[in-house]
Amino acid sequence: MDFIDEVVIRVRSGDGGRGCVSFRRERFRPKGGPDGGDGGKGGDIILRVSPERETLSHFGSRRYFKAQNGEPGRGDQKTGKDGNDCIIEVPPGTKVYDEDTGELLGDLIHISEELVVAKGGKGGKGNTHFATSTNRAPRYAQKGMKGEEKRLRLSLIYIADVGIIGLPNVGKSTLLSRITNARPKIESYLFTTIVPGLGVLNFEDEIRLIIADIPGLIEGASKGKGLGLRFLKHAERTKLLLHIVDISNVSLEDPLKDYMTLRKELSAYGGSLSQKPHMVILNKIDLKEKEPLMIENTISKFKEIGVEVMGISALKGYGLEELKSVLYKKLNLLEEG
Ligand SMILES: Nc1nc2c(ncn2[C@@H]2O[C@H](COP(=O)(O)OP(=O)(O)O)[C@@H](O)[C@H]2O)c(=O)[nH]1
Ligand SMILES: [Mg+2]
């Protein structure tokens, strides 16, 4: 199934049922007083956060949702049945916008949280309500109120503590698979990861970190080139970014090149991304085992510009325990603010 994290749907809440014009039938009196009941309320359109959903892919080709109309009132003061609500499941982290006005209607985070996005129309009042001293037999009842129709943009933004970013093929997915329960696709050609992935890193004391693998940023991503821009939004909620740099791509002349490319993309993307706390992870140090000085040199270059840095090999497992404890400490500190 395609990975979908952005979708526009059309919703329509139910119309209110019409009020009823009716008169009591009594023996010896052809027309008793008015007894037309009210119409039922139209159903609401409700978005609800479901733990079963991780993406918006379940929308498939279904883009229109309609709640049930209220039933008309009936004689004998019987109120019409309310229309059923239409409940639409979304994953945690779904932002809801009115597509026509651009207004943010809600940000749905917690399991079972609900947002009424279109209210059902009120039922019309039956003629019972309209009897007066001068008109004891009103032939008038209200129509029900119409439901609302809206176009909604649902935009999923992962809820994650840590975002892993970097150029394609630097080992982001490998790292995610090594430190979390996630099992992403790993292959050695560019752009194998075309969907962002989420994994959970558990610590002994039951504190857990959610880590997001954000697919390959390439130069120009923020201008819509490649895949990066589309997925950068998944870094928005994270508290810490790990910039992965492939040490086997680092040149002696310009060791900061890949890092700078990435920083530029983040700034161009805008928002708060470039201000987020971050650290650089030099990956694939196993490929430079024979050149420890090269690794040392690269590390000091980052330190010179004030960037926190560490070397790992996601593949061989070097430095991963240390990385985990750094993450643990950093996020505790960030949380304490
Ligand atoms: N030698 C070495 N190869 C690695 C390391 N980490 C990842 N790779 C390889 O690099 C390639 C790309 O890895 P992947 O995790 O898919 O990169 P992504 O595009 O950043 O997600 C794969 O062939 C991995 O096996 C590492 O620490 N050392
Ligand atoms: Mg990947």
Side-chain angles (χ1 to χ4, degrees), residues 236-255:
E236 281 171 24
R237 298 189 205 264
T238 61
K239 305 182 193 107
L240 174 71
L241 291 177
L242 300 182
H243 286 229
I244 314 294
V245 172
D246 181 342
I247 192 135
S248 65
N249 286 338
V250 166
S251 73
L252 284 173
E253 303 81 61
D254 192 3

Side-chain angles (χ1 to χ4, degrees), residues 55-203:
T55 69
L56 297 171
S57 302
H58 60 290
F59 283 92
S61 55
R62 183 159 182 215
R63 295 296 147 87
Y64 181 65
F65 296 84
K66 165 97 176 69
Q68 211 178 20
N69 295 334
E71 286 182 6
R74 278 164 296 139
D76 204 12
Q77 300 208 37
K78 287 205 179 81
T79 302
K81 232 170 87 103
D82 290 345
N84 289 331
D85 296 335
C86 169
I87 293 173
I88 303 174
E89 290 189 344
V90 295
T94 304
K95 288 192 176 185
V96 186
Y97 297 90
D98 185 314
E99 172 72 346
D100 297 306
T101 65
E103 186 193 355
L104 177 66
L105 303 178
D107 188 4
L108 295 166
I109 305 280
H110 304 288
I111 301 301
S112 301
E113 192 176 342
E114 291 187 345
L115 178 70
V116 177
V117 286
K119 276 198 100 38
K122 267 197 197 156
K125 287 186 158 61
N127 69 338
T128 323
H129 297 271
F130 301 106
T132 59
S133 54
T134 51
N135 182 5
R136 288 166 197 278
R139 302 209 49 86
Y140 168 77
Q142 286 176 334
K143 286 186 196 145
M145 303 276 275
K146 288 271 175 237
E148 300 178 271
E149 178 149 339
K150 284 186 186 166
R151 290 201 305 151
L152 303 177
R153 171 177 297 274
L154 308 183
S155 175
L156 170 64
I157 297 180
Y158 276 166
I159 299 172
D161 305 293
V162 177
I164 303 179
I165 59 173
L167 298 178
N169 235 18
V170 294
K172 298 179 296 297
S173 304
T174 307
L175 178 61
L176 187 78
S177 74
R178 293 304 298 265
I179 61 173
T180 73
N181 61 346
R183 291 295 164 258
K185 200 171 168 190
I186 293 160
E187 274 163 80
S188 73
Y189 46 90
L190 303 190
F191 297 131
T192 49
T193 309
I194 50 159
V195 304
L198 278 182
V200 178
L201 166 56
N202 286 300
F203 293 99

